[in-house]
Protein backbone atom coordinates (compact mmCIF):
# COMPACT_ATOMS: atom_id res chain seq x y z
CA UNK A 1 0.00 0.00 0.00
CA UNK A 2 1.18 3.46 -0.68
CA UNK A 3 1.93 6.06 1.95
CA UNK A 4 -0.71 8.28 0.35
CA UNK A 5 -3.39 5.62 0.93
CA UNK A 6 -2.29 5.00 4.54
CA UNK A 7 -2.63 8.72 5.26
CA UNK A 8 -6.35 8.47 4.43
CA UNK A 9 -6.96 6.10 7.35
CA UNK A 10 -8.05 7.90 10.53
CA UNK A 11 -5.87 5.68 12.79
CA UNK A 12 -2.22 5.50 13.62
CA UNK A 13 -0.47 2.16 13.77
CA UNK A 14 1.53 3.04 16.88
CA UNK A 15 1.31 0.26 19.48
CA UNK A 16 -2.18 -0.94 18.55
CA UNK A 17 -3.22 -4.22 16.98
CA UNK A 18 -5.24 -3.81 13.79
CA UNK A 19 -7.51 -6.25 11.97
CA UNK A 20 -8.15 -5.22 8.36
CA UNK A 21 -11.40 -6.43 6.80
CA UNK A 22 -11.49 -6.24 3.01
CA UNK A 23 -14.27 -7.52 0.74
CA UNK A 24 -17.52 -6.62 -0.93
CA UNK A 25 -19.50 -4.03 1.03
CA UNK A 26 -22.00 -6.65 2.26
CA UNK A 27 -19.18 -8.99 3.34
CA UNK A 28 -17.48 -6.21 5.30
CA UNK A 29 -20.70 -5.25 7.08
CA UNK A 30 -21.50 -8.90 7.83
CA UNK A 31 -18.02 -9.50 9.27
CA UNK A 32 -18.25 -6.36 11.40
CA UNK A 33 -21.57 -7.57 12.83
CA UNK A 34 -20.16 -11.06 13.37
CA UNK A 35 -17.17 -9.65 15.29
CA UNK A 36 -19.55 -7.74 17.57
CA UNK A 37 -21.76 -10.79 18.20
CA UNK A 38 -18.72 -12.97 18.97
CA UNK A 39 -17.33 -10.22 21.25
CA UNK A 40 -14.14 -9.81 19.21
CA UNK A 41 -15.08 -6.13 19.10
CA UNK A 42 -16.97 -4.53 21.97
CA UNK A 43 -18.99 -2.32 19.61
CA UNK A 44 -18.99 -0.95 16.08
CA UNK A 45 -17.30 2.25 17.24
CA UNK A 46 -14.03 0.28 17.31
CA UNK A 47 -14.12 0.05 13.49
CA UNK A 48 -13.04 2.80 11.13
CA UNK A 49 -15.66 3.98 8.62
CA UNK A 50 -16.04 1.73 5.58
CA UNK A 51 -13.98 3.14 2.70
CA UNK A 52 -13.21 1.96 -0.84
CA UNK A 53 -10.19 -0.37 -0.85
CA UNK A 54 -7.41 -0.02 -3.43
CA UNK A 55 -8.83 -3.10 -5.18
CA UNK A 56 -11.57 -2.76 -7.77
CA UNK A 57 -15.04 -3.20 -6.27
CA UNK A 58 -13.79 -3.86 -2.74
CA UNK A 59 -14.31 -1.98 0.52
CA UNK A 60 -12.47 -2.06 3.79
CA UNK A 61 -12.56 -1.19 7.46
CA UNK A 62 -10.03 -1.55 10.24
CA UNK A 63 -10.73 -2.86 13.73
CA UNK A 64 -8.49 -1.19 16.30
CA UNK A 65 -7.89 -3.37 19.37
Amino acid sequence: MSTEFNELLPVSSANKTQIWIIGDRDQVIHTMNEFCVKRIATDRAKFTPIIPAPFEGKYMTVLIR
Side-chain angles (χ1 to χ4, degrees), residues 5-16:
F5 179 74
N6 288 335
E7 290 173 357
L8 295 175
L9 293 174
V11 296
S12 90
S13 60
N15 299 325
K16 292 185 180 180

Side-chain angles (χ1 to χ4, degrees), residues 1-2 4 6 9 12 14 20 22 24 26-30 34 38 41-42 45 50 53 56 60 65:
M1 305 238 168
S2 69
E4 181 179 299
N6 288 335
L9 293 174
S12 90
W20 292 50
I22 301 172
D24 295 337
D26 290 339
Q27 292 171 329
V28 171
I29 293 170
H30 176 76
E34 186 176 7
K38 292 182 177 180
T42 54
I50 297 173
E56 187 175 329
M60 67 179 287
R65 300 210 44 197

Side-chain angles (χ1 to χ4, degrees), residues 40-54:
I40 295 170
T42 54
D43 62 24
R44 290 190 54 152
K46 299 286 184 180
F47 293 93
T48 61
I50 297 173
I51 59 171

